[in-house]
Amino acid sequence: MAVASVLADRDLLRRIGRVGHRIVHGGRNFTGATLLDGPTLEALRLLEPLAPIHQRINLELVALAAEFLPRALQVGCFDTAFHSARPEVAKIYGLPRAMTETGIVSYGFHGLSYSHIASELRDRYGARAGGRAIVAHLGSGASLCAMDSGRSIATTMGFSTLDGLVMSTRCGALDPGIILHLLEDGKLSHDELVTLLYEQSGLLGVSGISGDMRTLIGSEDPAAAEAIDLFVYRIGREIGSLAAALGGLDTLVFTAGIGENAPFVREKIGAAAGWLGVGIDHELNRRGEGVISLADSSVNVLVIPTDEERAVAGDVQAASQAASLRAT
């Protein structure tokens, strides 16, 4: 609000004709960048329970932008869209079909980040985009994506942003029986359970110190080391799972806050994936080079900064061009 007010006071807003919004959840219907008209926004509000810490805020920002820029096109760019073309078997759960048909499926997230990395891999390697690649988006939220020629094949996040890897304050994948136990025997309320799983778990919960990887790496507390070990262990296990989905591994990419800036964590993950042919050069990794694999590594290991804003900009341009074509 403060930024928008300053821009309005300086008469800069009138120059803006298009606004791109990162929206975490697009559900099953929004699989590409979409103009945010009334019916679309109403449909996206219905998805708020599926992304409770993200969706409402995303849509509030859309409303704010529409207020300050009533003539500009508002375009939604969805974190779930990149994963929408995965095989159906990669999306469904072992639940009754009627529940699947209501939308209880795996959606996957961090899609704008993965879209950018796929584009970078195409620039580097051509249409094959690094072949069978696993991209590790490791930040406060963390996930992995298996790509074949730049297309999502499988990913660690599923129905919600709680799934998969241990994260900064989120639990990652849990046995569903734990949830039942916490509700029935622990007598946790709905709100207490949400707070526990989203805000009090992950690296923070395991270490009892912090959800910030930098703090944990700098700590001598054994609990901090255990939290890091769990983070790496779960990533190593999931890399094996995704490599199985791909039928092998040609490229491993690290991105996002931890992936781009924590050589110690990259090296430990590389060691965990050594059986797949991953070999990380200690000195290249320490310096944070773009290519950190050993000369004889059978897997190319890269560090590529993510740029979700660039991915949004590309989506907005494509959606605007499509809208112009429909209008002619």
Side-chain angles (χ1 to χ4, degrees), residues 12-313:
L12 296 175
L13 294 181
R14 62 187 176 85
R15 302 180 188 180
I16 299 172
R18 295 171 290 181
V19 183
H21 298 272
R22 178 195 175 194
I23 298 178
V24 165
H25 218 304
R28 284 188 142 181
N29 295 326
F30 301 105
T31 58
T34 303
L35 296 181
L36 297 173
D37 56 18
T40 298
L41 289 170
E42 186 58 35
L44 292 173
R45 289 186 193 100
L46 296 176
L47 298 174
E48 287 185 17
L50 305 189
I53 66 171
H54 296 101
Q55 194 83 350
R56 180 179 58 79
I57 295 171
N58 294 160
L59 298 180
E60 286 176 355
L61 290 174
V62 174
L64 180 64
E67 177 185 339
F68 277 91
L69 299 161
R71 295 194 180 106
L73 289 177
Q74 308 292 331
V75 180
C77 307
F78 304 101
D79 261 332
T80 49
F82 183 74
H83 305 291
S84 62
R86 283 175 299 154
E88 192 67 14
V89 72
K91 300 178 186 178
I92 62 174
Y93 294 109
L95 292 170
R97 183 167 296 276
M99 292 184 175
T100 300
E101 290 172 353
T102 67
I104 302 179
V105 296
S106 168
Y107 292 99
F109 298 89
H110 293 136
L112 291 168
S113 176
Y114 291 130
S115 176
H116 173 72
I117 299 301
S119 176
E120 292 288 301
L121 290 174
R122 289 189 193 97
D123 288 346
R124 182 185 294 261
Y125 295 111
R128 283 284 292 145
R132 300 166 299 181
I134 293 175
V135 181
H137 176 105
L138 307 178
S140 58
S143 67
L144 305 177
C145 179
M147 300 182 193
D148 188 359
S149 301
R151 300 185 309 275
S152 178
I153 299 299
T155 188
T156 56
M157 278 184 175
F159 178 72
S160 77
T161 58
L162 284 172
D163 198 13
L165 307 179
V166 172
M167 293 169 252
S168 176
T169 62
R170 284 175 256 168
C171 59
L174 288 177
D175 179 338
I178 294 174
I179 306 300
L180 297 177
H181 170 74
L182 292 173
L183 289 171
E184 295 173 3
D185 298 325
K187 307 300 183 186
L188 265 64
S189 68
H190 170 270
D191 288 348
E192 288 171 332
L193 189 59
V194 168
T195 300
L196 170 69
L197 300 180
Y198 278 101
E199 299 176 16
Q200 298 175 342
S201 299
L203 295 173
L204 172 63
V206 174
S207 70
I209 298 169
S210 175
D212 190 318
M213 181 61 75
R214 294 167 296 186
T215 300
L216 298 180
I217 290 173
S219 174
E220 296 182 358
D221 192 312
E226 185 173 49
I228 296 170
D229 286 345
L230 177 61
F231 184 76
V232 170
Y233 169 74
R234 293 284 286 272
I235 292 170
R237 260 181 44 175
E238 291 296 338
I239 286 174
S241 171
L242 295 184
L246 288 167
L249 183 61
D250 302 312
T251 306
L252 176 63
V253 180
F254 292 98
T255 193
I258 298 171
E260 295 170 29
N261 300 299
F264 174 71
V265 174
R266 291 196 299 261
E267 190 148 327
K268 288 175 74 69
I269 292 170
W275 64 279
L276 283 165
V278 173
I280 290 181
D281 183 294
H282 175 75
E283 185 59 25
L284 294 176
N285 180 49
R286 185 189 66 79
R287 296 203 307 260
E289 299 290 342
V291 179
I292 60 172
S293 40
L294 289 164
D296 62 353
S297 174
S298 60
V299 175
N300 295 317
V301 186
L302 312 176
V303 180
I304 302 178
T306 193
D307 192 341
E308 291 161 311
E309 290 80 8
R310 183 178 291 273
V312 168

